[in-house]
Amino acid sequence: MARHRKPPVIPTVTLRARRQLAACLTGASALTATFLSLTVTPAAPAAPDRAPTSHTSPGPQAAP
C-alpha cells in the first residue's frame, strides 16, 4: 500500500489573508449586483402575454 504524506502546513497568516480576500470579493460582488440591479433597465419591454407587475396579486380566474 502507498504511504500517505502529511499535508503541508499552511501558515496562519496565509489562511487569514485568504479568508479576508474571499470576504472582500463576496462583498464587492454583492455591492456590484445591487448597484447594477438598481441602475440598469431592461432592453426589451415586458412580454405582452404577461400582466403588469403590481403589489397586489390578481384574483382567481374562471376556467374557460
Side-chain angles (χ1 to χ4, degrees):
M1 287 188 7
R3 293 185 180 192
H4 297 284
R5 291 187 175 180
K6 191 174 187 180
V9 177
I10 300 173
T12 307
V13 175
T14 304
L15 292 175
R16 189 178 312 139
R18 286 181 185 175
R19 287 187 187 119
Q20 189 173 10
L21 177 64
C24 181
L25 291 175
T26 302
S29 66
L31 185 64
T32 303
T34 303
F35 176 72
L36 287 174
S37 68
L38 293 175
T39 58
V40 175
T41 57
D49 61 340
R50 302 211 179 211
T53 58
S54 64
H55 295 290
T56 59
S57 61
Q61 296 179 349

